[in-house]
Amino acid sequence: MQRVKGWFKASFEKISSAVASVGNEGKRLAKEDLRRVVHAFKVGLAIAAISLLYYFDFFFDGFGVNAMWAVMTVVVVFEFSVGATLGKGVNRALATLLGGALGVGTHDLASLAPEKVEVILIGVSVCIIAATATFCRFFPNIRARYDYGFLVFILTFSLISVSGYRDDVVFDMAYRRLTTILIGGCVAILICIFVRPVWAGKDLHRHTAANIEKLACYLEAFGRVYFQESYDKNLAQLKDFKSVLISKGTEDSLVNFARWEPRHGKFRYRHPWNQYLKIGSGTRECAYKIDALNCYLVSDVQTPLELRTKIQDFCTKISSECALALTDVAIGLRTMTCPVASEKHIAEAKAAGKTLKALLKTGLWHDTEFLDIVPVVTVASLLIEIVACTTKIADSVEVLAT
Amino acid sequence: MQRVKGWFKASFEKISSAVASVGNEGKRLAKEDLRRVVHAFKVGLAIAAISLLYYFDFFFDGFGVNAMWAVMTVVVVFEFSVGATLGKGVNRALATLLGGALGVGTHDLASLAPEKVEVILIGVSVCIIAATATFCRFFPNIRARYDYGFLVFILTFSLISVSGYRDDVVFDMAYRRLTTILIGGCVAILICIFVRPVWAGKDLHRHTAANIEKLACYLEAFGRVYFQESYDKNLAQLKDFKSVLISKGTEDSLVNFARWEPRHGKFRYRHPWNQYLKIGSGTRECAYKIDALNCYLVSDVQTPLELRTKIQDFCTKISSECALALTDVAIGLRTMTCPVASEKHIAEAKAAGKTLKALLKTGLWHDTEFLDIVPVVTVASLLIEIVACTTKIADSVEVLAT
């Protein structure tokens, strides 16, 4: 009896701790981005709204069981950002139209033949068209923007032409499917756009600016800590840049979504989204350099402080000027204005770099172990390369501003 | 008349050149990986097979219009690799079961109330449950493996409970939906597994080995060309490693798919797939170092050859030994045997690194511009760091072999 009690108590505790950890994770996710909670309720609202339509007679009488396509469309099409929702909605509508038309055509053609032949004809044409469309999904351009459309095309085409076995009014079915999907798509898109919209374009914009700020943040901290005797290697400011190294996937998908979005806020319909990919690749290139720089910061073998201090002034100058320039560029990007101060900071960084180079040439360090000097000089030359990267980022942001 | 003719001719040429370029791209895609063509025909075959079932009376009479769920399931579930198909199929089946059960329960509970209240009850519960499930999709663990399941859950739950407005035999509908989805899912999975299967696990395995080989290939070429007076900077061998830098996304999704796969070839069901993520991150780390090394190779400012040749022997030794070790590790990974020769090569590379370090300490270069020496020394120290990375990769592959 005691053991059974103990077992129950233990499992109860286990379950409650699991529930608590899920709750905490949920809280964290909601806190990190409140729009997630809003999105969840928007989806709930859209489904409830479309299911009310299902309830009203004038809607149901027209469409019958096909009305469920409206519910399905809302669930499948509703994505986090407006761009993703629009992309899926347009893909779904166009693909249903095309697939339905081709399906009706195939069915009409096949039904001219005797029944046994009709079955074979439909089977063969479904197989060939589905295979062709599936192969098309491997084309990189199609994969990026129209993958979902091709899927729905295969789906609609197969459904409509196969239904011909059972029902001779496939045209009616195709028409109803298209109409209900349009209604569902419109509900999803309208709620997505008009209830607290999440714009992929804005997100991309912020993401790009935030990545540049992470680099600025690192450089600012680097100039401060590298010339201290001892420092905290686990400083948060020195780790944030790592996420920039693997940001390519996020950027690519945000650009794809942003292309679907209409004019919003400060963004035109044909905003040059591709430029963000260029800025992103420049930012990543700079992040690779910073990663190399970081190795010298976290390395266990530290260069003697007195060697480091000899170039302290110029290195600190370069890294802080680059940090200021990048911050200015990021602010310019955020506010969509031409960055004003960045040019000055870059010029100062370049000047400091030049002087530093000259200083190195004079042979600053006499009577020191040659190998001790190398890391310091490498740090210096990496900083000089980072100035070039900063210039590149600033230039590509400027293209966007003009 | 002439102008109209010219216009027709011009547009005809434009269209035919577009068609030709699409054809060429298709040929290239097919040549690159013939499994794509096979996959396309497998999908066509599966859809044709399921549509035959639609044609036979005993199947259609049992399920009626619900039979279309079978066609839909085949189209939606059939993915390129077995793991992805199995993952989607299991997700879809379980989610339909759960969503259907909850939908029937909600409908039964709500129908106890008077009609007006029933509508509100169902609407509110659909809204709340859909919102909760949508929020759950933001949990990273769920997103990685069960995202599609949650989508289908919302879908089935809404469809079944909303159908209650129209039809009091929702249980029947839920049952038919589940059965047809099971049939469709089974057809898709069986064809996917038994007709020329594409295993995500095998792909991941090959992808990991190929990435290691790309690094080996670079190092092999580096030791050869860096000490020549002039060399071709656009050598293909020196560019392949770039794709390793951005390979994280591919790896993550392949690992997720591989987890779903049953025992196949040399892989057990619970093969330690996570270890591949570790190998991958080690490989990427090494690729970052190689990227830094590459800067010195493609840089416009070349160090005088006579400075480079002073450390030629050791640098060539290190890079070729590392290349041999990595090649051996990749072969060991491919054949799933413990790499035998890599330890010897790594030991030789380490020894060469040690001697190189000692050599640098002696101050090889007298009377030379200090700044000219720095790039050479940095190259040397990067190579020494690459030895450490190689050791790390070899160790993590060894864990897999044991």
Short mmCIF file of all heavy atoms in Angstrom, two decimals, chain B residues 166-224:
data_model
loop_
_atom_site.label_atom_id
_atom_site.label_comp_id
_atom_site.label_asym_id
_atom_site.label_seq_id
_atom_site.Cartn_x
_atom_site.Cartn_y
_atom_site.Cartn_z
N ARG B 166 -24.05 20.15 -39.55
CA ARG B 166 -24.78 19.67 -40.72
C ARG B 166 -25.18 18.22 -40.62
O ARG B 166 -26.09 17.77 -41.30
CB ARG B 166 -23.88 19.81 -41.97
CG ARG B 166 -23.63 21.22 -42.36
CD ARG B 166 -24.91 21.82 -42.90
NE ARG B 166 -24.97 23.23 -42.60
CZ ARG B 166 -26.06 23.95 -42.77
NH1 ARG B 166 -27.18 23.39 -43.21
NH2 ARG B 166 -26.07 25.23 -42.47
N ASP B 167 -24.46 17.48 -39.85
CA ASP B 167 -24.55 16.04 -39.95
C ASP B 167 -24.40 15.50 -38.53
O ASP B 167 -23.47 15.88 -37.83
CB ASP B 167 -23.35 15.56 -40.81
CG ASP B 167 -23.54 14.13 -41.25
OD1 ASP B 167 -24.50 13.50 -40.78
OD2 ASP B 167 -22.72 13.68 -42.06
N ASP B 168 -25.31 14.65 -38.13
CA ASP B 168 -25.18 14.18 -36.77
C ASP B 168 -24.33 12.92 -36.65
O ASP B 168 -24.04 12.46 -35.56
CB ASP B 168 -26.56 14.00 -36.13
CG ASP B 168 -27.03 15.30 -35.51
OD1 ASP B 168 -26.14 16.13 -35.21
OD2 ASP B 168 -28.24 15.50 -35.33
N VAL B 169 -23.94 12.36 -37.79
CA VAL B 169 -23.13 11.14 -37.71
C VAL B 169 -21.65 11.48 -37.91
O VAL B 169 -20.98 10.93 -38.77
CB VAL B 169 -23.59 10.08 -38.74
CG1 VAL B 169 -24.81 9.36 -38.22
CG2 VAL B 169 -23.87 10.72 -40.08
N VAL B 170 -21.15 12.44 -37.13
CA VAL B 170 -19.76 12.86 -37.30
C VAL B 170 -18.80 11.72 -37.02
O VAL B 170 -17.71 11.67 -37.55
CB VAL B 170 -19.40 14.06 -36.41
CG1 VAL B 170 -20.08 15.31 -36.90
CG2 VAL B 170 -19.71 13.78 -34.98
N PHE B 171 -19.24 10.78 -36.15
CA PHE B 171 -18.34 9.68 -35.84
C PHE B 171 -17.98 8.91 -37.11
O PHE B 171 -16.83 8.57 -37.35
CB PHE B 171 -19.00 8.74 -34.83
CG PHE B 171 -18.11 7.59 -34.46
CD1 PHE B 171 -17.07 7.77 -33.56
CD2 PHE B 171 -18.30 6.35 -35.03
CE1 PHE B 171 -16.23 6.72 -33.24
CE2 PHE B 171 -17.45 5.29 -34.72
CZ PHE B 171 -16.42 5.48 -33.82
N ASP B 172 -19.02 8.68 -37.91
CA ASP B 172 -18.82 7.98 -39.18
C ASP B 172 -17.84 8.72 -40.07
O ASP B 172 -16.94 8.13 -40.67
CB ASP B 172 -20.17 7.91 -39.91
CG ASP B 172 -20.52 6.49 -40.24
OD1 ASP B 172 -20.33 5.64 -39.34
OD2 ASP B 172 -20.93 6.24 -41.38
N MET B 173 -18.00 10.03 -40.14
CA MET B 173 -17.14 10.83 -41.00
C MET B 173 -15.69 10.75 -40.52
O MET B 173 -14.77 10.56 -41.31
CB MET B 173 -17.63 12.28 -40.97
CG MET B 173 -16.79 13.17 -41.85
SD MET B 173 -17.39 14.86 -41.79
CE MET B 173 -16.04 15.69 -42.61
N ALA B 174 -15.53 10.87 -39.19
CA ALA B 174 -14.18 10.82 -38.64
C ALA B 174 -13.54 9.47 -38.94
O ALA B 174 -12.37 9.38 -39.32
CB ALA B 174 -14.21 11.07 -37.14
N TYR B 175 -14.34 8.42 -38.79
CA TYR B 175 -13.83 7.07 -39.01
C TYR B 175 -13.39 6.90 -40.47
O TYR B 175 -12.32 6.38 -40.77
CB TYR B 175 -14.92 6.06 -38.63
CG TYR B 175 -14.61 4.66 -39.08
CD1 TYR B 175 -13.66 3.89 -38.39
CD2 TYR B 175 -15.25 4.11 -40.19
CE1 TYR B 175 -13.37 2.62 -38.81
CE2 TYR B 175 -14.96 2.83 -40.61
CZ TYR B 175 -14.02 2.09 -39.92
OH TYR B 175 -13.72 0.83 -40.34
N ARG B 176 -14.24 7.40 -41.40
CA ARG B 176 -13.91 7.26 -42.82
C ARG B 176 -12.67 8.08 -43.18
O ARG B 176 -11.82 7.64 -43.94
CB ARG B 176 -15.08 7.74 -43.67
CG ARG B 176 -16.12 6.67 -43.80
CD ARG B 176 -17.15 7.07 -44.81
NE ARG B 176 -18.32 6.22 -44.68
CZ ARG B 176 -19.56 6.65 -44.80
NH1 ARG B 176 -19.78 7.93 -45.05
NH2 ARG B 176 -20.54 5.81 -44.67
N ARG B 177 -12.60 9.26 -42.62
CA ARG B 177 -11.43 10.10 -42.90
C ARG B 177 -10.16 9.39 -42.44
O ARG B 177 -9.16 9.32 -43.17
CB ARG B 177 -11.58 11.45 -42.18
CG ARG B 177 -10.52 12.45 -42.56
CD ARG B 177 -10.76 13.83 -41.97
NE ARG B 177 -9.49 14.45 -41.61
CZ ARG B 177 -8.75 15.18 -42.44
NH1 ARG B 177 -9.17 15.42 -43.64
NH2 ARG B 177 -7.59 15.67 -42.06
N LEU B 178 -10.22 8.83 -41.24
CA LEU B 178 -9.04 8.15 -40.71
C LEU B 178 -8.66 6.96 -41.59
O LEU B 178 -7.49 6.79 -41.96
CB LEU B 178 -9.31 7.69 -39.28
CG LEU B 178 -8.13 7.03 -38.58
CD1 LEU B 178 -6.96 7.99 -38.48
CD2 LEU B 178 -8.50 6.51 -37.21
N THR B 179 -9.65 6.14 -41.96
CA THR B 179 -9.34 4.95 -42.75
C THR B 179 -8.76 5.31 -44.10
O THR B 179 -7.75 4.73 -44.52
CB THR B 179 -10.62 4.10 -42.97
OG1 THR B 179 -11.48 4.29 -41.89
CG2 THR B 179 -10.27 2.64 -43.12
N THR B 180 -9.38 6.27 -44.80
CA THR B 180 -8.87 6.61 -46.13
C THR B 180 -7.47 7.21 -46.03
O THR B 180 -6.61 6.93 -46.87
CB THR B 180 -9.80 7.59 -46.84
OG1 THR B 180 -10.20 8.61 -45.92
CG2 THR B 180 -11.02 6.89 -47.37
N ILE B 181 -7.24 8.00 -44.97
CA ILE B 181 -5.90 8.58 -44.82
C ILE B 181 -4.88 7.48 -44.55
O ILE B 181 -3.76 7.50 -45.08
CB ILE B 181 -5.90 9.65 -43.71
CG1 ILE B 181 -6.51 10.93 -44.28
CG2 ILE B 181 -4.51 9.90 -43.17
CD1 ILE B 181 -6.54 12.07 -43.33
N LEU B 182 -5.29 6.46 -43.76
CA LEU B 182 -4.38 5.34 -43.50
C LEU B 182 -4.05 4.62 -44.80
O LEU B 182 -2.90 4.29 -45.08
CB LEU B 182 -4.98 4.38 -42.49
CG LEU B 182 -4.93 4.85 -41.04
CD1 LEU B 182 -5.57 3.80 -40.13
CD2 LEU B 182 -3.50 5.10 -40.60
N ILE B 183 -5.09 4.38 -45.62
CA ILE B 183 -4.85 3.67 -46.89
C ILE B 183 -3.90 4.48 -47.78
O ILE B 183 -2.90 3.96 -48.29
CB ILE B 183 -6.18 3.41 -47.63
CG1 ILE B 183 -7.04 2.42 -46.82
CG2 ILE B 183 -5.93 2.86 -49.02
CD1 ILE B 183 -8.43 2.25 -47.36
N GLY B 184 -4.20 5.77 -47.93
CA GLY B 184 -3.33 6.62 -48.76
C GLY B 184 -1.92 6.66 -48.24
O GLY B 184 -0.94 6.53 -48.99
N GLY B 185 -1.80 6.82 -46.92
CA GLY B 185 -0.47 6.89 -46.31
C GLY B 185 0.31 5.61 -46.55
O GLY B 185 1.50 5.64 -46.88
N CYS B 186 -0.39 4.45 -46.41
CA CYS B 186 0.30 3.17 -46.60
C CYS B 186 0.79 3.05 -48.04
O CYS B 186 1.92 2.62 -48.28
CB CYS B 186 -0.62 2.01 -46.27
SG CYS B 186 -0.85 1.86 -44.50
N VAL B 187 -0.05 3.40 -49.02
CA VAL B 187 0.37 3.31 -50.41
C VAL B 187 1.62 4.17 -50.63
O VAL B 187 2.62 3.70 -51.21
CB VAL B 187 -0.77 3.75 -51.36
CG1 VAL B 187 -0.25 3.92 -52.78
CG2 VAL B 187 -1.90 2.75 -51.33
N ALA B 188 1.58 5.41 -50.13
CA ALA B 188 2.72 6.30 -50.32
C ALA B 188 3.98 5.72 -49.69
O ALA B 188 5.04 5.66 -50.31
CB ALA B 188 2.41 7.68 -49.73
N ILE B 189 3.85 5.25 -48.44
CA ILE B 189 5.02 4.76 -47.72
C ILE B 189 5.57 3.49 -48.38
O ILE B 189 6.79 3.34 -48.55
CB ILE B 189 4.68 4.53 -46.24
CG1 ILE B 189 4.49 5.88 -45.55
CG2 ILE B 189 5.77 3.74 -45.53
CD1 ILE B 189 3.96 5.79 -44.15
N LEU B 190 4.67 2.59 -48.77
CA LEU B 190 5.14 1.34 -49.38
C LEU B 190 5.90 1.62 -50.68
O LEU B 190 7.00 1.10 -50.89
CB LEU B 190 3.96 0.40 -49.64
CG LEU B 190 3.35 -0.22 -48.37
CD1 LEU B 190 2.16 -1.09 -48.73
CD2 LEU B 190 4.41 -1.04 -47.63
N ILE B 191 5.31 2.45 -51.56
CA ILE B 191 6.00 2.73 -52.82
C ILE B 191 7.30 3.46 -52.54
O ILE B 191 8.33 3.20 -53.17
CB ILE B 191 5.08 3.54 -53.76
CG1 ILE B 191 3.93 2.65 -54.22
CG2 ILE B 191 5.86 4.06 -54.97
CD1 ILE B 191 3.04 3.25 -55.26
N CYS B 192 7.27 4.35 -51.56
CA CYS B 192 8.49 5.11 -51.25
C CYS B 192 9.61 4.19 -50.76
O CYS B 192 10.77 4.37 -51.10
CB CYS B 192 8.16 6.16 -50.20
SG CYS B 192 9.47 7.34 -49.93
N ILE B 193 9.23 3.18 -49.96
CA ILE B 193 10.26 2.30 -49.38
C ILE B 193 10.71 1.22 -50.37
O ILE B 193 11.89 0.89 -50.45
CB ILE B 193 9.75 1.64 -48.08
CG1 ILE B 193 9.60 2.69 -47.00
CG2 ILE B 193 10.72 0.56 -47.61
CD1 ILE B 193 9.25 2.14 -45.64
N PHE B 194 9.75 0.66 -51.16
CA PHE B 194 10.11 -0.52 -51.93
C PHE B 194 10.49 -0.26 -53.37
O PHE B 194 11.04 -1.12 -54.02
CB PHE B 194 9.00 -1.58 -51.83
CG PHE B 194 8.92 -2.16 -50.45
CD1 PHE B 194 7.87 -1.85 -49.60
CD2 PHE B 194 9.93 -2.99 -50.00
CE1 PHE B 194 7.82 -2.37 -48.32
CE2 PHE B 194 9.88 -3.52 -48.72
CZ PHE B 194 8.83 -3.20 -47.88
N VAL B 195 10.19 0.92 -53.91
CA VAL B 195 10.64 1.24 -55.26
C VAL B 195 11.83 2.19 -55.16
O VAL B 195 11.66 3.37 -54.87
CB VAL B 195 9.51 1.90 -56.08
CG1 VAL B 195 9.97 2.14 -57.51
CG2 VAL B 195 8.26 1.05 -56.06
N ARG B 196 13.01 1.67 -55.36
CA ARG B 196 14.21 2.50 -55.35
C ARG B 196 14.21 3.54 -54.23
O ARG B 196 14.12 4.75 -54.49
CB ARG B 196 14.31 3.25 -56.69
CG ARG B 196 14.46 2.35 -57.88
CD ARG B 196 15.87 2.36 -58.29
NE ARG B 196 16.17 2.14 -59.65
CZ ARG B 196 17.09 2.84 -60.30
NH1 ARG B 196 17.66 3.87 -59.72
NH2 ARG B 196 17.44 2.52 -61.51
N PRO B 197 14.29 3.11 -52.97
CA PRO B 197 14.15 4.07 -51.87
C PRO B 197 15.31 5.06 -51.81
O PRO B 197 16.43 4.75 -52.21
CB PRO B 197 14.17 3.17 -50.63
CG PRO B 197 14.94 1.99 -51.06
CD PRO B 197 14.62 1.76 -52.51
N VAL B 198 15.02 6.27 -51.36
CA VAL B 198 16.06 7.28 -51.08
C VAL B 198 16.09 7.45 -49.57
O VAL B 198 15.12 7.92 -48.98
CB VAL B 198 15.69 8.63 -51.72
CG1 VAL B 198 16.68 9.69 -51.30
CG2 VAL B 198 15.62 8.51 -53.23
N TRP B 199 17.19 7.02 -48.94
CA TRP B 199 17.27 7.10 -47.48
C TRP B 199 17.94 8.40 -47.06
O TRP B 199 19.07 8.68 -47.48
CB TRP B 199 18.07 5.92 -46.93
CG TRP B 199 17.47 4.59 -47.25
CD1 TRP B 199 17.86 3.75 -48.25
CD2 TRP B 199 16.37 3.94 -46.60
NE1 TRP B 199 17.08 2.63 -48.26
CE2 TRP B 199 16.15 2.71 -47.26
CE3 TRP B 199 15.55 4.28 -45.52
CZ2 TRP B 199 15.16 1.82 -46.87
CZ3 TRP B 199 14.56 3.40 -45.14
CH2 TRP B 199 14.37 2.19 -45.80
N ALA B 200 17.26 9.16 -46.22
CA ALA B 200 17.85 10.40 -45.72
C ALA B 200 19.11 10.10 -44.92
O ALA B 200 20.08 10.85 -44.95
CB ALA B 200 16.84 11.16 -44.86
N GLY B 201 19.10 8.96 -44.19
CA GLY B 201 20.25 8.61 -43.38
C GLY B 201 21.49 8.42 -44.24
O GLY B 201 22.56 8.92 -43.94
N LYS B 202 21.31 7.71 -45.35
CA LYS B 202 22.43 7.49 -46.27
C LYS B 202 22.91 8.82 -46.83
O LYS B 202 24.11 9.06 -46.96
CB LYS B 202 21.95 6.59 -47.42
CG LYS B 202 22.82 5.37 -47.64
CD LYS B 202 22.29 4.61 -48.85
CE LYS B 202 22.66 3.16 -48.81
NZ LYS B 202 21.85 2.36 -49.73
N ASP B 203 21.94 9.68 -47.19
CA ASP B 203 22.30 10.99 -47.74
C ASP B 203 23.09 11.81 -46.74
O ASP B 203 24.09 12.44 -47.09
CB ASP B 203 21.03 11.76 -48.13
CG ASP B 203 20.63 11.47 -49.56
OD1 ASP B 203 21.21 10.53 -50.14
OD2 ASP B 203 19.76 12.19 -50.09
N LEU B 204 22.62 11.78 -45.49
CA LEU B 204 23.32 12.52 -44.44
C LEU B 204 24.74 12.02 -44.30
O LEU B 204 25.70 12.79 -44.21
CB LEU B 204 22.56 12.36 -43.12
CG LEU B 204 23.25 12.92 -41.88
CD1 LEU B 204 23.35 14.43 -41.96
CD2 LEU B 204 22.49 12.53 -40.63
N HIS B 205 24.87 10.70 -44.29
CA HIS B 205 26.15 10.03 -44.16
C HIS B 205 27.09 10.48 -45.29
O HIS B 205 28.22 10.90 -45.05
CB HIS B 205 25.87 8.53 -44.28
CG HIS B 205 26.98 7.66 -43.85
ND1 HIS B 205 27.28 7.47 -42.54
CD2 HIS B 205 27.86 6.92 -44.56
CE1 HIS B 205 28.30 6.65 -42.46
NE2 HIS B 205 28.67 6.30 -43.68
N ARG B 206 26.57 10.44 -46.53
CA ARG B 206 27.38 10.83 -47.69
C ARG B 206 27.71 12.30 -47.66
O ARG B 206 28.83 12.71 -47.97
CB ARG B 206 26.59 10.55 -48.96
CG ARG B 206 26.83 9.17 -49.48
CD ARG B 206 26.36 9.07 -50.92
NE ARG B 206 25.73 7.79 -51.12
CZ ARG B 206 24.55 7.59 -51.67
NH1 ARG B 206 23.85 8.63 -52.09
NH2 ARG B 206 24.07 6.39 -51.78
N HIS B 207 26.71 13.11 -47.28
CA HIS B 207 26.89 14.56 -47.22
C HIS B 207 28.02 14.91 -46.24
O HIS B 207 28.90 15.72 -46.54
CB HIS B 207 25.57 15.19 -46.78
CG HIS B 207 25.61 16.64 -46.46
ND1 HIS B 207 25.45 17.61 -47.42
CD2 HIS B 207 25.81 17.29 -45.30
CE1 HIS B 207 25.54 18.80 -46.86
NE2 HIS B 207 25.75 18.63 -45.58
N THR B 208 28.00 14.24 -45.07
CA THR B 208 29.02 14.51 -44.06
C THR B 208 30.40 14.12 -44.59
O THR B 208 31.36 14.88 -44.47
CB THR B 208 28.72 13.72 -42.77
OG1 THR B 208 27.36 13.96 -42.42
CG2 THR B 208 29.60 14.15 -41.64
N ALA B 209 30.48 12.92 -45.19
CA ALA B 209 31.76 12.47 -45.72
C ALA B 209 32.23 13.39 -46.85
O ALA B 209 33.42 13.75 -46.92
CB ALA B 209 31.64 11.03 -46.22
N ALA B 210 31.29 13.81 -47.71
CA ALA B 210 31.68 14.67 -48.84
C ALA B 210 32.22 16.00 -48.34
O ALA B 210 33.18 16.54 -48.89
CB ALA B 210 30.48 14.88 -49.75
N ASN B 211 31.60 16.54 -47.27
CA ASN B 211 32.09 17.81 -46.73
C ASN B 211 33.52 17.67 -46.22
O ASN B 211 34.35 18.55 -46.45
CB ASN B 211 31.18 18.29 -45.60
CG ASN B 211 30.00 19.08 -46.13
OD1 ASN B 211 29.94 19.36 -47.33
ND2 ASN B 211 29.08 19.43 -45.28
N ILE B 212 33.79 16.56 -45.52
CA ILE B 212 35.15 16.35 -45.03
C ILE B 212 36.12 16.23 -46.20
O ILE B 212 37.23 16.78 -46.18
CB ILE B 212 35.21 15.09 -44.13
CG1 ILE B 212 34.36 15.31 -42.88
CG2 ILE B 212 36.64 14.77 -43.73
CD1 ILE B 212 34.27 14.10 -41.98
N GLU B 213 35.66 15.54 -47.26
CA GLU B 213 36.53 15.40 -48.43
C GLU B 213 36.82 16.73 -49.10
O GLU B 213 37.91 16.95 -49.63
CB GLU B 213 35.87 14.44 -49.44
CG GLU B 213 36.25 13.01 -49.18
CD GLU B 213 35.30 12.04 -49.84
OE1 GLU B 213 34.43 12.47 -50.61
OE2 GLU B 213 35.44 10.83 -49.57
N LYS B 214 35.82 17.64 -49.09
CA LYS B 214 36.05 18.95 -49.69
C LYS B 214 37.18 19.68 -48.96
O LYS B 214 38.02 20.33 -49.58
CB LYS B 214 34.77 19.79 -49.62
CG LYS B 214 33.80 19.47 -50.73
CD LYS B 214 32.50 20.25 -50.55
CE LYS B 214 31.43 19.67 -51.44
NZ LYS B 214 30.08 20.11 -51.03
N LEU B 215 37.18 19.57 -47.63
CA LEU B 215 38.25 20.21 -46.86
C LEU B 215 39.60 19.57 -47.21
O LEU B 215 40.60 20.26 -47.43
CB LEU B 215 38.00 20.07 -45.36
CG LEU B 215 36.69 20.66 -44.83
CD1 LEU B 215 36.69 20.62 -43.31
CD2 LEU B 215 36.50 22.08 -45.30
N ALA B 216 39.60 18.23 -47.29
CA ALA B 216 40.84 17.52 -47.62
C ALA B 216 41.35 17.97 -48.98
O ALA B 216 42.55 18.22 -49.17
CB ALA B 216 40.58 16.01 -47.62
N CYS B 217 40.41 18.09 -49.91
CA CYS B 217 40.75 18.50 -51.27
C CYS B 217 41.40 19.88 -51.27
O CYS B 217 42.41 20.12 -51.94
CB CYS B 217 39.45 18.49 -52.05
SG CYS B 217 39.64 18.74 -53.76
N TYR B 218 40.83 20.80 -50.47
CA TYR B 218 41.40 22.14 -50.40
C TYR B 218 42.82 22.09 -49.86
O TYR B 218 43.75 22.67 -50.42
CB TYR B 218 40.55 23.05 -49.52
CG TYR B 218 41.09 24.44 -49.45
CD1 TYR B 218 40.66 25.41 -50.34
CD2 TYR B 218 42.08 24.80 -48.53
CE1 TYR B 218 41.19 26.68 -50.33
CE2 TYR B 218 42.62 26.06 -48.51
CZ TYR B 218 42.17 27.00 -49.41
OH TYR B 218 42.69 28.25 -49.40
N LEU B 219 42.99 21.37 -48.75
CA LEU B 219 44.29 21.35 -48.09
C LEU B 219 45.34 20.74 -49.01
O LEU B 219 46.48 21.20 -49.06
CB LEU B 219 44.21 20.57 -46.78
CG LEU B 219 43.45 21.32 -45.67
CD1 LEU B 219 43.27 20.42 -44.46
CD2 LEU B 219 44.19 22.58 -45.29
N GLU B 220 44.92 19.70 -49.73
CA GLU B 220 45.85 19.05 -50.64
C GLU B 220 46.33 20.05 -51.69
O GLU B 220 47.53 20.19 -51.96
CB GLU B 220 45.14 17.85 -51.30
CG GLU B 220 46.04 16.88 -52.02
CD GLU B 220 46.28 17.32 -53.44
OE1 GLU B 220 45.34 17.86 -54.06
OE2 GLU B 220 47.41 17.14 -53.93
N ALA B 221 45.35 20.82 -52.25
CA ALA B 221 45.71 21.78 -53.28
C ALA B 221 46.50 22.95 -52.71
O ALA B 221 47.43 23.46 -53.34
CB ALA B 221 44.46 22.29 -53.98
N PHE B 222 46.15 23.35 -51.49
CA PHE B 222 46.82 24.51 -50.88
C PHE B 222 48.33 24.29 -50.75
O PHE B 222 49.13 25.14 -51.14
CB PHE B 222 46.22 24.78 -49.49
CG PHE B 222 46.84 25.96 -48.81
CD1 PHE B 222 46.39 27.24 -49.08
CD2 PHE B 222 47.89 25.80 -47.91
CE1 PHE B 222 46.96 28.34 -48.47
CE2 PHE B 222 48.47 26.89 -47.30
CZ PHE B 222 48.01 28.16 -47.58
N GLY B 223 48.69 23.12 -50.22
CA GLY B 223 50.11 22.84 -50.04
C GLY B 223 50.86 22.87 -51.37
O GLY B 223 52.04 23.20 -51.43
N ARG B 224 50.14 22.53 -52.44
CA ARG B 224 50.77 22.48 -53.74
C ARG B 224 50.95 23.87 -54.34
O ARG B 224 52.02 24.21 -54.84
CB ARG B 224 49.90 21.61 -54.67
CG ARG B 224 50.63 21.00 -55.82
CD ARG B 224 49.98 19.70 -56.29
NE ARG B 224 48.55 19.58 -56.05
CZ ARG B 224 47.59 20.18 -56.76
NH1 ARG B 224 47.90 20.95 -57.77
NH2 ARG B 224 46.32 20.01 -56.45
#
